[in-house]
């Protein structure tokens, strides 16, 4: 029996040296110390021994068991320490290395200009009005004195969805919706995207942004319109900026005007930016046509109003010195990060 115990212990020591994981160590523990282990099988056979041999063999088995348990405990601590060391090595951080910085984003230049204009007009007492981009023909054209067959419709190259629905070509449709549902005094701006089937080039895009304004009240005059646009021009292009109104024709305003500002590059002296003229066209405006007011249920004998429309992209190009509108939409971060 003694020889058998020595053989078991020697075999255990050999297998213990080969156990390189906690799982393998647990298997070894079960094989020798478990209910069906090697030492347990010896204890079960002690009934065949004489009364004199049993205490001697029992003592030997307990000694071997205690030695095995001690070695398993030591090996377990060793393996756990090795696993912890490996984990720390794999997850170590060199605190002397520079950190990975994340570049913070910024508003797109179109959003910057749009937000700046909104803040300006809100400060002047305007409210922001919104409306659908998929619009009825009535609100986009007919209510604005552009009935079916009107030649001005052809110049806008409209994206039609059905015969009566389209992608709006101007945010003037929002003005009509507001005047239908609200009685004067009205003082709103209508920012948003508009759509026209224009060929893409340096100054045109099929999708662009507008901010249109509308004021309707008693006693509103062309002088009020001019004063409002002067405030806008000086804020956006510099305090020395001058404006001029040139007669024009828009079906929904009468009288109508194109608005030029003195060149922000040369101050009106004439340069390459303004093509030597000293002036740059920036927007269209006029007094709201009486028929438009009447169609919205507002009496033009009592109320008058003015309206204007500003192209956000054109304003952004002017402010930032950009000569090609396409750069705003190409998503090149080298370009956008300048703003």
């Amino acid at each position: 029996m003694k020889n058998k115990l020595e053989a078991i212990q020697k075999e255990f020591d050999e297998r213990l040296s080969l156990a390189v994981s906690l799982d393998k160590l647990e298997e070894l523990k079960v094989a020798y110390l478990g209910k069906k282990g090697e030492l347990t099988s010896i204890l079960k056979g002690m009934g065949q021994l004489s009364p004199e041999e049993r205490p001697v063999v029992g003592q030997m088995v307990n000694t071997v068991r205690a030695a095995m348990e001690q070695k398993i405990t030591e090996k377990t601590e060793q393996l756990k320490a090795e696993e912890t060391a490996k984990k720390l090595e794999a997850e170590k951080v060199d605190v002397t290395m520079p950190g990975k910085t994340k570049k913070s984003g910024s508003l797109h230049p179109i959003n910057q200009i749009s937000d700046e204009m909104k803040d300006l007009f809100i400060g002047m007492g305007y409210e922001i009005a919104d409306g659908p981009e998929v619009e009825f023909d009535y609100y986009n054209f007919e209510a604005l004195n552009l009935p079916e067959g009107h030649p001005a419709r052809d110049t806008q190259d409209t994206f039609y969805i059905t015969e009566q629905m389209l992608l709006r070509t101007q945010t003037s449709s929002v003005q009509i919706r507001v005047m239908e549902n609200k009685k004067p005094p009205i003082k709103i701006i209508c920012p948003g995207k508009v759509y026209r089937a224009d060929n893409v080039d340096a100054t045109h895009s099929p999708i662009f942004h507008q901010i249109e304004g509308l004021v309707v009240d008693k006693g509103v005059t062309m002088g009020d319109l001019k004063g409002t646009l002067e405030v806008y021009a000086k804020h956006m292009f510099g305090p020395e900026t001058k404006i001029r109104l040139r007669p024009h024709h828009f079906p929904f305003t009468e009288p109508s005007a194109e608005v030029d500002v003195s060149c922000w590059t040369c101050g009106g002296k004439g340069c390459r930016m303004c093509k030597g003229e000293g002036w740059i066209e920036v927007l269209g405006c006029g007094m709201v046509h009486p028929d438009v007011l009447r169609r919205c249920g507002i009496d033009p004998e009592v109320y008058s109003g003015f309206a204007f429309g500003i192209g956000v992209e054109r304003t952004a190009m002017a402010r930032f010195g950009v000569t090609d509108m396409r750069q705003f939409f190409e998503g090149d971060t080298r370009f956008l990060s300048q703003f």
Side-chain angles (χ1 to χ4, degrees), residues 154-181:
D154 297 333
T155 63
Q156 296 199 17
D157 295 326
T158 309
F159 289 109
Y160 275 92
I161 298 172
T162 69
E163 289 186 2
Q164 297 301 321
M165 297 194 73
L166 48 84
L167 297 180
R168 67 183 182 189
T169 62
Q170 53 205 359
T171 58
S172 306
S173 57
V174 181
Q175 298 179 18
I176 299 299
R177 289 180 175 274
V178 171
M179 286 192 287
E180 282 185 344
N181 294 282

Side-chain angles (χ1 to χ4, degrees), residues 13-275:
D13 290 340
E14 290 176 354
R15 292 183 61 180
L16 181 66
S17 64
L18 299 176
V20 294
S21 68
L22 293 173
D23 290 339
K24 294 293 184 182
L25 197 59
E26 183 62 26
E27 291 177 5
L28 186 63
K29 182 178 180 181
V30 172
Y32 287 89
L33 302 176
K35 291 181 179 180
K36 297 181 181 181
E38 296 287 347
L39 290 183
T40 304
S41 64
I42 291 177
L43 290 173
K44 288 180 179 180
M46 287 180 65
Q48 302 173 5
L49 300 176
S50 65
E52 294 80 10
E53 291 178 317
R54 288 175 191 170
V56 176
V57 173
Q59 181 64 36
M60 291 175 62
V61 171
N62 289 335
T63 301
V64 172
R65 176 187 291 276
M68 288 182 175
E69 289 177 345
Q70 178 64 27
K71 290 178 180 179
I72 287 175
T73 300
E74 293 174 355
K75 186 74 171 184
T76 299
E77 292 176 355
Q78 176 190 340
L79 291 176
K80 285 183 176 180
E82 290 175 356
E83 284 192 1
T84 300
K86 289 179 180 178
K87 188 174 182 180
L88 291 174
E89 179 65 24
E91 297 178 356
K92 71 177 182 179
V93 177
D94 185 352
V95 295
T96 65
M97 290 181 65
K100 293 181 179 179
T101 58
K102 291 185 178 180
K103 294 182 179 180
S104 58
S106 61
L107 283 176
H108 191 280
I110 297 300
N111 292 69
Q112 291 181 38
I113 293 298
S114 180
D115 289 349
E116 185 176 344
M117 287 195 285
K118 289 177 188 177
D119 290 343
L120 170 65
F121 285 110
I122 288 172
M124 295 167 66
Y126 286 74
E127 297 179 351
I128 294 178
D130 194 16
E133 294 179 14
V134 178
E135 188 57 277
F136 288 104
D137 180 277
Y138 174 80
Y139 289 102
N140 195 81
F141 287 129
E142 191 171 339
L144 291 163
N145 274 354
L146 290 161
E148 187 175 353
H150 195 287
R153 288 198 184 201
D154 297 333
T155 63
Q156 296 199 17
D157 295 326
T158 309
F159 289 109
Y160 275 92
I161 298 172
T162 69
E163 289 186 2
Q164 297 301 321
M165 297 194 73
L166 48 84
L167 297 180
R168 67 183 182 189
T169 62
Q170 53 205 359
T171 58
S172 306
S173 57
V174 181
Q175 298 179 18
I176 299 299
R177 289 180 175 274
V178 171
M179 286 192 287
E180 282 185 344
N181 294 282
K182 182 180 179 181
K183 298 308 175 186
I186 297 171
K187 197 172 186 181
I188 61 167
I189 56 171
C190 315
K193 290 195 291 290
V194 296
Y195 306 83
R196 298 183 188 178
D198 288 333
N199 293 324
V200 178
D201 59 28
T203 56
H204 295 85
S205 170
I207 304 174
F208 56 100
H209 299 75
Q210 279 187 338
I211 290 184
E212 297 200 9
L214 171 70
V215 174
V216 180
D217 202 352
K218 294 179 180 178
V220 175
T221 68
M222 197 77 173
D224 298 318
L225 170 60
K226 184 173 184 292
T228 299
L229 297 180
E230 283 182 337
V231 172
Y232 158 78
K234 290 180 183 295
H235 177 85
M236 297 303 296
F237 305 112
E240 304 301 320
T241 303
K242 297 181 175 62
I243 71 168
R244 72 176 183 183
L245 278 65
R246 291 179 290 104
H248 195 71
H249 171 71
F250 298 115
F252 34 85
T253 53
E254 181 59 39
S256 305
E258 292 279 11
V259 179
D260 302 330
V261 299
S262 53
C263 179
W264 47 82
T265 300
C266 66
K269 297 178 182 179
C271 66
R272 183 178 179 182
M273 175 66 73
C274 60
K275 299 179 181 178

Side-chain angles (χ1 to χ4, degrees), residues 103 327 330-339:
K103 294 182 179 180
Q327 292 180 301
E330 290 174 347
D332 190 334
T333 55
R334 295 171 299 177
F335 170 78
L336 297 175
S337 61
Q338 300 177 80
F339 312 105

